[in-house]
Amino acid sequence: FFKQKTAYEIGVRLVGSEMCIRDSPLNHVAIIMDGNGRWGLLHKNSRNERHKAGLNTVEKIIKESIKQKIDYLTLYAFSTENWKRPKKEINYLFSLLENFLLNKTENLNKQNIKLKIIGKKNFSKKLNNLLNSVEKKTSKNSKLQINLAINYGSKFELINAFKKLHKSKDQINEVNLEKHLQTKNIPNPDLLIRTGNTKRLSNFLLWQLAYTEIYFEKKLWPDFNERDYNKIIKKFTLVKRNFGKI
């Protein structure tokens, strides 16, 4: 059997007659994890069960990202618009997050994974403290950085960044604006995957995705697996990214 190549190793490849050599062809993957609700309806499960199934997929994709030597993985878990959902569902979702963090922090450290939260932390005191604690405990880890987007909205992020930039009296340009984004010091995503057969960005990283390759996956998030992930990674490596150049 042939050994499967990682995203890093696939960086040296042929495109037509031209050899493209890249030190890190796939550094940052962002994912909009869509389709939990529809998966629950199809499987006649409760709305709560769907989130458990989605969490299992998260763990699989984290493991595969490490295997593929990807440095950054950004997961869109809860948007500023998601507060419109039923209160019971929101409470369950955050209790699931609390349990995950309480039970998995030690495992994150063992795997050398850093966790960073992007979004406004205005949750319960308990959850805010827990998020801050896990960020601190994993801050020195370096194998994979997971950016968990919760209570995140890109429009809100941009408005606040412009306000801070204006207040700073610095010149208004891209470099200075990016200093005030929640993704400061994080490279922009190379690849965005959205599951659930929906083709929109849903107020996610609107600034950061300007030159990102975007793949819309038909499968619902709980059904998405490592094989699907690797297929998209392979497709990504066949794209020659010019960033506006010829």
Side-chain angles (χ1 to χ4, degrees):
F1 293 96
F2 293 104
K3 183 183 176 184
Q4 185 180 5
K5 291 183 180 295
T6 66
Y8 180 89
E9 292 166 333
I10 294 172
V12 179
R13 59 185 178 76
L14 282 169
V15 179
S17 59
E18 182 180 357
M19 175 69 82
C20 287
I21 301 176
R22 296 174 184 158
D23 291 332
S24 184
L26 186 51
N27 189 38
H28 184 176
V29 177
I31 304 178
I32 299 175
M33 306 178 290
D34 192 20
N36 284 347
R38 282 168 285 159
W39 184 92
L41 290 172
L42 286 170
H43 292 78
K44 298 181 180 179
N45 289 326
S46 70
R47 295 182 69 86
N48 290 345
E49 285 299 315
R50 66 182 184 153
H51 292 303
K52 282 185 181 178
L55 193 55
N56 290 334
T57 301
V58 167
E59 295 195 62
K60 290 176 188 176
I61 298 307
I62 288 172
K63 286 179 183 177
E64 191 59 30
S65 295
I66 292 172
K67 187 177 175 182
Q68 292 293 333
K69 298 183 180 179
I70 290 163
D71 295 323
Y72 298 88
L73 177 65
T74 300
L75 302 173
Y76 201 14
F78 191 86
S79 75
T80 48
E81 291 77 25
N82 287 151
W83 291 106
K84 299 170 187 174
R85 294 185 177 188
K87 192 174 181 181
K88 270 189 176 182
E89 181 184 339
I90 292 170
N91 290 339
Y92 178 80
L93 184 61
F94 288 132
S95 69
L96 197 65
L97 176 60
E98 283 181 14
N99 290 332
F100 179 82
L101 294 173
L102 286 168
N103 295 321
K104 299 292 183 178
T105 300
E106 187 177 340
N107 196 39
L108 291 176
N109 279 324
K110 282 181 181 177
Q111 294 182 81
N112 199 15
I113 295 173
K114 177 180 179 178
L115 181 70
K116 177 178 173 59
I117 305 301
I118 60 171
K120 190 175 181 182
K121 293 178 190 170
N122 61 348
F123 310 109
S124 67
K125 186 177 179 181
K126 180 183 176 183
L127 182 54
N128 283 341
N129 289 340
L130 182 57
L131 291 170
N132 290 331
S133 173
V134 177
E135 280 188 296
K136 187 176 180 180
K137 286 178 181 177
T138 63
S139 62
K140 294 182 180 179
N141 295 339
S142 58
K143 183 168 280 187
L144 171 68
Q145 177 170 319
I146 298 174
N147 307 307
L148 187 62
I150 49 175
N151 195 24
Y152 173 85
S154 187
K155 290 180 180 179
F156 180 82
E157 176 189 31
L158 285 166
I159 288 168
N160 277 283
F162 277 112
K163 284 179 179 178
K164 289 175 182 177
L165 179 55
H166 177 71
K167 191 175 181 180
S168 71
K169 306 295 184 183
D170 289 336
Q171 185 180 354
I172 296 177
N173 56 40
E174 288 186 24
V175 173
N176 287 334
L177 178 67
E178 287 177 352
K179 290 176 184 176
H180 299 287
L181 294 176
Q182 293 174 41
T183 53
K184 177 185 175 183
N185 298 325
I186 300 172
N188 291 333
D190 303 296
L191 170 64
L192 169 71
I193 300 168
R194 177 169 187 150
T195 60
N197 200 28
T198 302
K199 297 177 177 66
R200 59 172 176 264
L201 297 181
S202 296
N203 198 17
F204 182 53
L205 300 177
L206 300 178
W207 176 276
Q208 297 88 339
L209 294 175
Y211 274 100
T212 299
E213 301 298 322
I214 301 174
Y215 290 81
F216 296 110
E217 166 63 43
K218 288 183 179 180
K219 278 192 177 183
L220 305 175
W221 177 246
D223 291 327
F224 189 70
N225 57 41
E226 302 95 328
R227 194 173 180 179
D228 303 315
Y229 191 34
N230 284 319
K231 280 182 182 177
I232 293 172
I233 287 172
K234 285 180 181 178
K235 286 179 183 178
F236 170 85
T237 62
L238 298 176
V239 175
K240 184 182 177 183
R241 304 177 74 203
N242 294 323
F243 299 97
K245 298 178 290 185
I246 295 175

